[in-house]
Amino acid sequence: MSWLIVLSTFGGYGLYWYLLRRIGVTRVNSLMFLVPPATALWGAAMFGEPLGVATITGIVVALAATWLATRAPTPAAGGGEPRPRHAT
């Protein structure tokens, strides 16, 4: 039991801090939205929990939100330096 506690504590927090340094706060925190879908799928696989329409809809919404939050920004999305104005 203690190895499970140590593994989940140091492994989980270690991965969290590693990802914070690697990909940034916004992307790491958006990955937290994947915890409920992972738990629902794990419960279905391990314990035979039913996956209803509401659960499937929630999984799809969480995946879409995570994808939107973690995708690379497009150049047209703004940011960077403003374009210089030309005198006419």
Side-chain angles (χ1 to χ4, degrees):
M1 181 63 111
S2 61
W3 73 269
L4 183 60
I5 294 169
V6 170
L7 178 66
S8 65
T9 300
F10 293 116
Y13 281 116
L15 178 63
Y16 183 76
W17 285 102
Y18 171 76
L19 288 174
L20 278 175
R21 282 188 300 238
R22 180 105 172 140
I23 63 175
V25 173
T26 303
R27 295 179 87 188
V28 170
N29 284 334
S30 66
L31 292 176
M32 293 297 190
F33 287 111
L34 296 178
V35 172
T39 304
L41 293 174
W42 187 258
M46 294 299 293
F47 305 113
E49 295 278 331
L51 290 176
V53 174
T55 305
I56 301 285
T57 304
I59 290 172
V60 169
V61 168
L63 291 174
T66 304
W67 177 75
L68 284 171
T70 58
R71 67 187 173 123
T74 59
E81 297 180 9
R83 293 182 183 173
R85 292 188 192 186
H86 296 286
T88 53

